[in-house]
Amino acid sequence: MYDESELLEDIRHIRHQPNMWMRRGTFDDTCALIHGMDIGTNGRLLDGFQQWLAKQLNLSCDDIPWWNLSLMVTFQDEKFVPSNVLIPDESQARTALIDQVEKFLLERKNRVMELN
């Protein structure tokens, strides 16, 4: 069963205790965990997330996966290019991704509440 409030709590718990959820807590581990959570909700967790991130960059997002968009948003000042192999700061990337997912979910929840 998909419960957005529980997912928000899980996201917040991941932020505070990443090693309870992931072995190393890298950005890639965080992406895998969030992707797994998305699969567990039949794609509803991240529905619209890719577009939401792309909008922050004024980009079309059809060919850029959400994890690369997250890095591009996080490291805008460094002109991060997704083809780079090295992530400038793993901890910052992980924390930013979790923050982005939380903000996205809260905004989506607020839009739904406004419609009702």
Side-chain angles (χ1 to χ4, degrees), residues 62-107:
D62 295 339
D63 59 344
I64 305 172
W66 60 262
W67 50 87
N68 282 346
L69 289 168
S70 173
L71 290 170
M72 292 167 70
V73 168
T74 302
F75 300 109
Q76 285 184 55
D77 294 338
E78 299 180 32
K79 304 288 187 237
F80 182 82
V81 178
S83 61
N84 286 354
V85 179
L86 298 175
I87 295 172
D89 183 331
E90 283 282 339
S91 178
Q92 181 183 356
R94 179 192 70 232
T95 301
L97 174 58
I98 293 167
D99 290 347
Q100 292 160 357
V101 171
E102 180 181 23
K103 185 175 180 183
F104 166 73
L105 292 175
L106 286 171
E107 286 182 18

Side-chain angles (χ1 to χ4, degrees), residues 2-115:
Y2 173 70
D3 183 341
E4 196 154 300
S5 295
E6 286 182 24
L7 290 169
L8 271 167
E9 286 304 312
D10 288 345
I11 294 296
R12 290 173 179 145
H13 192 258
I14 292 166
R15 176 189 300 108
H16 297 294
Q17 300 285 332
N19 291 334
M20 289 183 68
W21 290 77
M22 301 170 277
R23 186 169 157 234
R24 294 170 303 198
T26 64
F27 177 76
D28 289 342
D29 288 347
T30 307
C31 289
L33 176 62
I34 291 172
H35 181 68
M37 293 171 72
D38 187 49
I39 290 170
T41 63
N42 293 318
R44 288 178 284 185
L45 173 67
L46 298 180
D47 185 26
F49 184 57
Q50 179 184 24
Q51 294 81 2
W52 182 84
L53 288 168
K55 186 176 179 182
Q56 295 178 46
L57 297 164
N58 295 318
L59 293 174
S60 171
C61 64
D62 295 339
D63 59 344
I64 305 172
W66 60 262
W67 50 87
N68 282 346
L69 289 168
S70 173
L71 290 170
M72 292 167 70
V73 168
T74 302
F75 300 109
Q76 285 184 55
D77 294 338
E78 299 180 32
K79 304 288 187 237
F80 182 82
V81 178
S83 61
N84 286 354
V85 179
L86 298 175
I87 295 172
D89 183 331
E90 283 282 339
S91 178
Q92 181 183 356
R94 179 192 70 232
T95 301
L97 174 58
I98 293 167
D99 290 347
Q100 292 160 357
V101 171
E102 180 181 23
K103 185 175 180 183
F104 166 73
L105 292 175
L106 286 171
E107 286 182 18
R108 185 171 68 186
K109 184 178 180 179
N110 288 337
R111 277 194 313 272
V112 169
M113 290 174 68
E114 288 173 3
L115 294 174

